[in-house]
């Protein structure tokens, strides 16, 4: 292997990356043989993800969601082939109209097999939103929606022939895996918590872990994603604009956040870079207390941040779901930094300025 790399400096080998231009050559080790895929790039297309040799076919669940939409836009702009795996073709076609997204395939569940077949990677982002009042029915759906879709995708991948099976599965999970704490610091090696969201994340990830061992699996534990058109920030901005913003609860709880562009870039790297494998925390390197987050949001908006939202008021609206906001965890992206991932927005103030000026 090392000889191969030394003699072909602009090539690398991988049994897990499968762009359309891959060629399979035999590689012998003892009496066993296996296929070794060789991907050669010129200096010119090495830095150009839209070059023909680098084009990928990516199937995505949850593509119509907050993160999924931006990921589809990014992949499409780089000339990759995108297959949207959805439960509602009509809804997906409204979000990704043909005139703006030519070439994108929208597939409902009976068509998922044919679309995952031949894909280079599958990105699994599907799941019922958690930022709502939790009834017993909603809690059941939060868990089952994630496990059902993940299990379906994994079963499809596992039942495909090796030569048509995706090389990578990038499956979302959440920092809720770690439980909550005002004092502890969590990284990818930290154990799971013991609350409801931790349970959801453990079972969600367990479903992804059933994928064939020949498939490179990346589990990205995503923090609070900040963007203008969705997520927590979109709900907070109107409150601050009405001069009613302020810390929620004590304001001392940790807020492990990430800019929408950074989480999309992290997923993008996980799709195409063979070094990305296992657990990766999808959070910015500088988490803040929620009170600091609210102070920065007020400053950037030019609005005061003095009117606190008491615990009981939030619980009245969200019930048990208020725990997502009232409790938190300090999560660091140790693995992403080890991999050399460059965060565009490592600091909360810069992230908010970027979002609110767009």
């Amino acid at each position: 292997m090392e000889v191969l790399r030394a003699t072909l400096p602009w090539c690398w080998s991988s049994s897990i990356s499968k762009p359309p231009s891959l060629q399979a050559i035999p590689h012998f080790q003892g009496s066993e043989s296996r296929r070794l895929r060789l991907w050669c790039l010129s200096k010119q297309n090495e830095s150009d993800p839209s070059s023909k040799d680098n084009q990928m076919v990516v199937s995505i669940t949850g593509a119509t969601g907050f993160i999924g939409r931006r990921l589809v836009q990014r992949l499409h702009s780089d000339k990759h082939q995108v297959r949207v795996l959805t439960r509602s073709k009509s809804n997906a076609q409204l979000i990704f109209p043909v005139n703006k997204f030519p070439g994108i395939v929208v597939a409902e569940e009976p068509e998922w097999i044919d679309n995952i077949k031949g894909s280079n990677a599958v990105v699994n982002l599907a799941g019922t939103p958690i930022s709502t009042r939790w009834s017993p029915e909603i809690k059941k759906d939060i868990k089952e929606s994630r496990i059902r879709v993940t299990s379906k995708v994994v079963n499809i991948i596992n039942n495909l022939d090796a030569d048509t099976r995706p090389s990578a599965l990038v499956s979302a999970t959440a920092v809720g895996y770690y439980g909550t704490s005002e004092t502890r610091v969590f990284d990818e090696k930290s154990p799971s918590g013991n609350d409801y969201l931790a349970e959801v994340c453990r079972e969600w990830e367990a479903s992804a872990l059933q994928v064939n061992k020949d498939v490179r699996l990346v589990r990205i534990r995503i923090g609070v994603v900040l963007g203008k058109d969705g997520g927590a920030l979109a709900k907070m901005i109107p409150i601050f604009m009405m001069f009613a913003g302020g810390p929620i609860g004590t304001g001392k709880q940790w807020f492990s956040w990430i800019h929408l562009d950074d989480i999309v870039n992290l997923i993008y790297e996980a799709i195409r870079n063979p070094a990305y494998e296992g657990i990766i925390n999808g959070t910015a390197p500088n988490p803040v207390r929620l009170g600091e987050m609210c102070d920065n949001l007020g400053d950037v908006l030019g609005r005061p941040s003095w009117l606190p939202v008491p615990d009981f008021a939030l619980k009245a609206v969200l019930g048990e779901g208020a725990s997502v906001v009232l409790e938190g965890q300090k999560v660091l992206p140790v693995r992403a930094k080890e991999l050399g991932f460059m965060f565009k927005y490592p600091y909360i103030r810069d992230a908010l300025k970027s979002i609110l000026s767009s």
Side-chain angles (χ1 to χ4, degrees):
M1 181 77 78
E2 294 304 320
V3 173
L4 194 66
R5 289 177 180 147
T7 56
L8 297 171
W10 296 103
C11 300
W12 68 85
S13 56
S14 172
S15 59
I16 52 182
S17 293
K18 188 178 62 175
S21 60
L22 288 173
Q23 294 177 318
I25 62 174
H27 171 72
F28 296 96
Q29 185 174 9
S31 61
E32 297 180 356
S33 67
R34 64 180 177 87
R35 292 177 64 192
L36 178 72
R37 297 186 176 107
L38 187 66
W39 186 1
C40 298
L41 299 178
S42 68
K43 289 185 180 181
Q44 180 179 4
N45 68 25
E46 181 192 31
S47 59
D48 180 8
S50 66
S51 67
K52 189 173 181 179
D53 285 344
N54 285 343
Q55 287 180 3
M56 302 179 292
V57 179
V58 182
S59 294
I60 306 173
T61 70
T64 59
F66 180 40
I67 300 172
R69 294 186 194 196
R70 186 68 66 89
L71 178 62
V72 169
Q73 291 168 2
R74 170 73 192 280
L75 289 165
H76 186 258
S77 68
D78 280 353
K79 311 300 182 186
H80 299 296
Q81 296 181 43
V82 179
R83 298 172 177 176
V84 173
L85 309 181
T86 182
R87 288 183 297 173
S88 173
K89 181 176 286 190
S90 58
N91 181 52
Q93 288 172 334
L94 287 174
I95 293 170
F96 305 115
V98 174
N99 61 326
K100 292 184 179 179
F101 295 91
I104 283 185
V105 175
V106 177
E108 289 189 317
E109 289 198 47
E111 306 167 302
W112 284 16
I113 295 175
D114 292 335
N115 284 275
I116 290 176
K117 183 178 182 180
S119 295
N120 298 109
V122 177
V123 179
N124 179 37
L125 299 172
T128 297
I130 65 171
S131 56
T132 184
R133 186 177 182 87
W134 292 354
S135 64
E137 293 76 17
I138 290 294
K139 287 180 69 176
K140 182 179 178 182
D141 193 48
I142 285 171
K143 181 191 288 189
E144 291 187 353
S145 64
R146 286 160 171 77
I147 295 170
R148 185 187 70 82
V149 174
T150 304
S151 296
K152 182 178 180 68
V153 167
V154 165
N155 287 336
I156 290 173
I157 292 173
N158 289 349
N159 288 323
L160 290 172
D161 294 334
D163 59 346
T164 61
R165 186 182 295 145
S167 297
L169 170 61
V170 180
S171 195
T173 171
V175 295
Y177 174 92
Y178 301 111
T180 62
S181 176
E182 284 191 10
T183 58
R184 295 181 61 191
V185 179
F186 301 99
D187 63 23
E188 287 86 351
K189 295 180 181 179
S190 299
S192 181
N194 54 14
D195 58 16
Y196 164 71
L197 286 180
E199 177 186 315
V200 170
C201 291
R202 284 195 304 272
E203 295 189 26
W204 192 4
E205 292 187 23
S207 299
L209 283 166
Q210 299 305 308
V211 76
N212 188 290
K213 299 307 178 186
D214 291 339
V215 177
R216 177 170 57 92
L217 174 62
V218 188
R219 288 168 286 159
I220 301 183
R221 292 176 181 157
I222 302 174
V224 181
V225 180
L226 301 183
K228 197 171 188 177
D229 301 321
L233 193 60
K235 296 179 180 181
M236 296 175 73
I237 290 172
I239 297 173
F240 275 78
M241 293 303 292
M242 293 187 295
F243 296 88
I248 299 171
T250 65
K252 295 179 180 179
Q253 62 271 49
W254 282 103
F255 187 73
S256 293
W257 61 277
I258 188 168
H259 190 290
L260 178 59
D261 287 350
D262 277 332
I263 191 61
V264 167
N265 289 342
L266 186 64
I267 294 170
Y268 191 97
E269 280 300 306
I271 293 169
R272 65 178 187 164
N273 190 333
Y276 284 64
E277 191 167 8
I279 301 161
I280 301 175
N281 287 335
T283 59
N286 297 290
V288 295
R289 303 278 186 179
L290 189 57
E292 182 182 346
M293 154 66 185
C294 292
D295 286 345
N296 277 281
L297 180 57
D299 286 346
V300 173
L301 288 171
R303 294 291 191 273
S305 178
W306 59 269
L307 189 64
V309 178
D311 292 14
F312 72 83
L314 197 64
K315 289 177 180 176
V317 176
L318 294 180
E320 189 181 354
S323 63
V324 177
V325 180
L326 295 174
E327 304 169 18
Q329 56 278 109
K330 184 178 184 180
V331 180
L332 300 181
V334 172
R335 185 67 186 128
K337 294 177 76 173
E338 289 174 349
L339 288 163
F341 180 78
M342 298 298 293
F343 288 88
K344 189 176 179 181
Y345 302 101
Y347 298 101
I348 189 71
R349 191 172 187 85
D350 293 336
L352 293 172
K353 282 183 176 179
S354 166
I355 293 166
L356 297 172
S357 64
S358 60

